[in-house]
Amino acid sequence: GLDTPDSSFYASLALFGDDVTDRAPIDSYYWTRLGYIVPVRGLTELFGTWPGFAAYRMLLVLLLVAGIYIALRRFTGIASAAFLTVMASLSTVVLSYLGNSYLTGSVLAGTAVLVACAMFDGRRAAAVAGITLGWLAMVNPPGVLLAGTLWLVLRLQARTRVVPLLVAGGTTGATFALFWLAGRLM
């Protein structure tokens, strides 16, 4: 729920866009939160206010569950990975973050996706990682620093080739630009 002033503020930005900040002396929050504002605004316009917020939360839950399961599956069997994923994703702490319009749930889901992407050394995994990094950069810049550093360290530890790093960099820039353009249009 909207249990903090920041949660309410980000929900307002998603519902009303720059109408909330267009007269503010410093409107940087709008431009640094487009990774949350754009998808939630689109979903709330498509489905209505509360169903749109619920759809975004479901997307975050799916990203988190997929990320955790894929990462665990690399090191354990199907049953163990499924059990541990269920336990992690049903944590009340995790669910409260995912159910709030504050940015922590988005960063948590994006970090899970990046950890899963770090388990693979291919171009597809690098592209998904880049898209996730670009999205997180527009959700919360400190969050992308944390998640991106984690992804990069895991990839460097695995001695990744240069091409996947270039693919990740390119898709990060492209995703960032798409969110910026969407923000300009909104």
Side-chain angles (χ1 to χ4, degrees):
L2 305 175
D3 60 351
T4 68
D6 284 347
S7 300
S8 299
F9 180 63
Y10 296 132
S12 298
L13 283 173
L15 291 172
F16 304 110
D18 71 338
D19 290 342
V20 176
T21 60
D22 66 350
R23 291 180 189 85
I26 301 171
D27 63 355
S28 63
Y29 275 108
Y30 180 75
W31 295 105
T32 60
R33 303 301 189 245
L34 288 173
Y36 175 78
I37 295 168
V38 170
V40 173
R41 177 108 184 233
L43 291 168
T44 56
E45 287 185 1
L46 186 64
F47 299 117
T49 301
W50 298 117
F53 279 114
Y56 186 72
R57 279 184 231 120
M58 286 305 304
L59 177 63
L60 293 181
V61 168
L62 289 173
L63 290 173
L64 181 82
V65 166
I68 291 172
Y69 180 78
I70 290 167
L72 289 172
R73 185 64 182 95
R74 294 285 289 180
F75 301 105
T76 186
I78 293 172
S80 296
F83 175 76
L84 292 170
T85 300
V86 167
M87 292 298 104
S89 63
L90 290 180
S91 162
T92 56
V93 173
V94 171
L95 291 174
S96 68
Y97 280 128
L98 296 177
N100 192 307
S101 58
Y102 193 66
L103 308 169
T104 309
S106 298
V107 173
L108 184 64
T111 302
V113 170
L114 284 172
V115 169
C117 289
M119 301 291 120
F120 302 94
D121 189 30
R123 291 180 184 181
R124 277 184 278 169
V128 172
I131 291 166
T132 305
L133 287 166
W135 168 58
L136 284 178
M138 295 303 257
V139 168
N140 185 336
V144 77
L145 289 175
L146 172 68
T149 301
L150 181 61
W151 175 81
L152 185 60
V153 166
L154 290 171
R155 288 310 320 141
L156 292 176
Q157 183 68 25
R159 293 185 168 82
T160 191
R161 299 179 320 264
V162 173
V163 172
L165 295 177
L166 294 174
V167 169
T171 53
T172 298
T175 303
F176 185 90
L178 285 173
F179 275 106
W180 183 79
L181 287 171
R184 297 289 296 167
L185 292 173
M186 284 177 30

